[in-house]
Amino acid sequence: MTPTEGTPVPETSDLIDVDSLLSDSELELRSTVRAFVDAEIKPHIAGWYDAAVFPTEIIPRLAELGLLGMHLSGYGCPGRSAVEYGIAALELEAGDSGLRTFVSVQGSLAMTAIHRHGSEEQKQEWLPRLAAGTAIGCFGLTEPTAGSDPGSMTTFARRDGDDWVINGTKRWIGLASIADIAVIWAMTDDGIRGFLVPTGTTGFTATVIPQKLSMRASIQCEIELAEVRIPASAMLPKAKGLRGPFECLNEARYGIIWGVMGAARDSYLAALDYSKQRLQFGKPLAGYQLTQEKLVNMALEINKGTLLALQLGRLKDAGTLQPHQISIGKLNNCREAIQIARDARAMLGGNGITLDYSPLRHANNLESVRTYEGTDEVHTLVIGNHITGIPAFR
């Protein structure tokens, strides 16, 4: 347990009464997820992060709380709103980005791919199990040489009689080593298509990527697909071209917009609490003008970022959210959250480089979050394209 855990901290991050914009059910959900994180995540996360362990024992609890595929309806899925999903993501990432990432990979990527693009048989087979946490999914899009440009993927699926045979390599694939089913995107003679590949299939190998400096309480893998043979029924029938995976990625990006504000808030509160207790030159750090300026700037960006996330969530629930708006949220909130975490670490001085405090852990995690699901550069160009009408990707 860190020095600040177990001690109630006044809610000083909401300076403009954002809570008044939330419904009773949204506030109730937030309280439930926050209590779970405070009781079952924060007391253990430093140890999990240090040991580079993803705590699989929390998966049943996440399912019990209705956090797996929570924005999806039917097939055993919780059917909650986009705003409720965002609130849950924020509270989970206040615990750790890696744990929010699990919910994102399972629900926003793997489950969304099946829910939106799968056949009725595929939905019936996998979605209830994934929602219950009795099966784990992963999403294989990124490759060693195809990250921001997935259209250049070299993984290829060829038709062989009634089967498909897949060959290729995927990298930075969350949960692959513990997954039961993998959504694999591959080039075919008919363009990019998605396939459901049981991870026990001959030729499928998932290897955990070791020695990470970020997202240590999370699992990322490299997948090798060597003559992986699957039946024709394994293809996702409604996904053709890059639109299929991009629709799933936008679901994940939306959750990130909220989630990183949780990491920012936790970093801010750690710095605030520390600055009130740490005495320098005869008075608390919090009594110095420079310290107060830093705290004010953090709180301002948390309030603005949370309002942005909430506005995008309301648009999403109304069915009007646009891709460039998701890019605005992802670019802004990741950029501000990582700066808040870094500034909070600096306020902790030398103590801030230990796992007794959360800001540097959050900052390290946010290096990954800022990179995956679209880098700053990619989202800048998406927004620039919307503003100017001129694509500048090439």
Side-chain angles (χ1 to χ4, degrees):
M1 180 174 289
T2 70
T4 58
E5 285 169 0
T7 303
V9 179
E11 182 54 87
T12 57
S13 60
D14 185 1
L15 302 180
I16 54 176
D17 198 15
V18 175
D19 281 7
S20 67
L21 303 176
L22 302 178
S23 68
D24 289 343
S25 64
E26 290 163 350
L27 291 169
E28 181 180 2
L29 173 71
R30 186 183 69 179
S31 295
T32 299
V33 180
R34 184 178 296 184
F36 163 73
V37 171
D38 287 344
E40 302 185 42
I41 302 302
K42 288 188 175 182
H44 309 292
I45 186 58
W48 292 332
Y49 187 94
D50 189 41
V53 169
F54 172 71
T56 55
E57 62 269 24
I58 71 169
I59 295 174
R61 285 287 288 128
L62 294 171
E64 180 184 332
L65 292 170
L67 302 180
L68 303 183
M70 65 182 299
H71 64 298
L72 303 174
S73 298
Y75 308 98
C77 299
R80 305 297 289 260
S81 71
V83 169
E84 288 172 319
Y85 172 46
I87 289 169
L90 187 152
E91 295 302 330
L92 288 170
E93 197 147 351
D96 191 77
S97 299
L99 304 183
R100 194 271 307 151
T101 294
F102 170 81
V103 169
S104 179
V105 171
Q106 180 87 342
S108 294
L109 294 178
M111 292 179 69
T112 294
I114 298 170
H115 193 277
R116 185 167 295 182
H117 303 298
S119 66
E120 185 62 27
E121 293 75 18
Q122 290 167 341
K123 295 176 187 180
Q124 294 284 356
E125 179 180 4
W126 288 107
L127 289 177
R129 296 164 59 191
L130 292 166
T134 56
I136 306 300
C138 68
F139 186 89
L141 178 65
T142 300
E143 297 186 0
T145 59
S148 296
D149 181 20
S152 65
M153 71 174 66
T154 58
T155 297
F156 193 85
R158 73 176 190 273
R159 194 65 187 262
D160 184 17
D162 292 332
D163 297 335
W164 288 94
V165 179
I166 307 176
N167 285 279
T169 303
K170 300 294 183 179
R171 187 165 174 83
W172 297 115
I173 308 306
L175 310 180
S177 63
I178 64 170
D180 301 284
I181 190 69
V183 178
I184 298 294
W185 300 93
M187 188 66 71
T188 72
D189 289 332
D190 191 34
I192 293 172
R193 303 301 298 259
F195 300 88
L196 294 186
V197 181
T199 57
T201 304
T202 300
F204 182 101
T205 304
T207 304
V208 173
I209 298 172
Q211 297 183 314
K212 295 179 299 178
L213 300 176
S214 176
M215 302 288 282
R216 290 179 57 79
S218 183
I219 298 171
Q220 283 78 40
C221 299
E222 183 162 289
I223 294 175
E224 290 288 342
L225 300 128
E227 292 290 297
V228 171
R229 182 176 292 272
I230 53 175
S233 61
M235 177 184 280
L236 294 171
K238 300 177 185 177
K240 184 175 181 180
L242 282 173
R243 181 175 180 178
F246 280 177
E247 287 180 350
C248 303
L249 291 174
N250 276 336
E251 294 291 336
R253 290 164 180 160
Y254 168 76
I256 290 169
I257 295 167
W258 284 89
V260 295
M261 286 295 100
R265 187 193 70 201
D266 190 66
S267 298
Y268 160 79
L269 291 176
L272 173 61
D273 187 51
Y274 184 87
S275 69
K276 289 180 177 181
Q277 299 180 33
R278 176 77 168 183
L279 299 178
Q280 291 289 282
F281 304 105
K283 69 176 182 180
L285 283 174
Y288 290 95
Q289 291 181 4
L290 289 176
T291 300
Q292 291 191 7
E293 180 186 30
K294 292 175 183 177
L295 292 169
V296 167
N297 288 337
M298 292 179 192
L300 287 175
E301 295 307 325
I302 291 169
N303 277 256
K304 289 190 287 185
T306 304
L307 279 176
L308 173 57
L310 180 58
Q311 166 65 2
L312 297 182
R314 297 297 188 213
L315 291 175
K316 194 172 192 307
D317 279 326
T320 59
L321 183 63
Q322 300 298 310
H324 76 275
Q325 295 168 331
I326 296 175
S327 287
I328 289 169
K330 209 275 187 178
L331 174 63
N332 181 81
N333 284 11
C334 285
R335 186 162 60 188
E336 298 304 329
I338 198 168
Q339 189 60 54
I340 289 168
R342 289 170 176 167
D343 289 345
R345 200 294 308 162
M347 291 175 64
L348 298 173
N351 289 327
I353 71 166
T354 73
L355 281 170
D356 289 337
Y357 299 89
S358 65
L360 185 56
R361 172 172 54 81
H362 285 308
N364 285 350
N365 284 336
L366 288 168
E367 291 286 354
S368 294
V369 179
R370 192 174 185 176
T371 300
Y372 68 49
E373 320 297 7
T375 62
D376 284 12
E377 292 81 2
V378 166
H379 287 296
T380 296
L381 294 181
V382 170
I383 301 165
N385 185 20
H386 175 77
I387 292 172
T388 66
I390 304 171
F393 290 91
R394 301 183 188 278

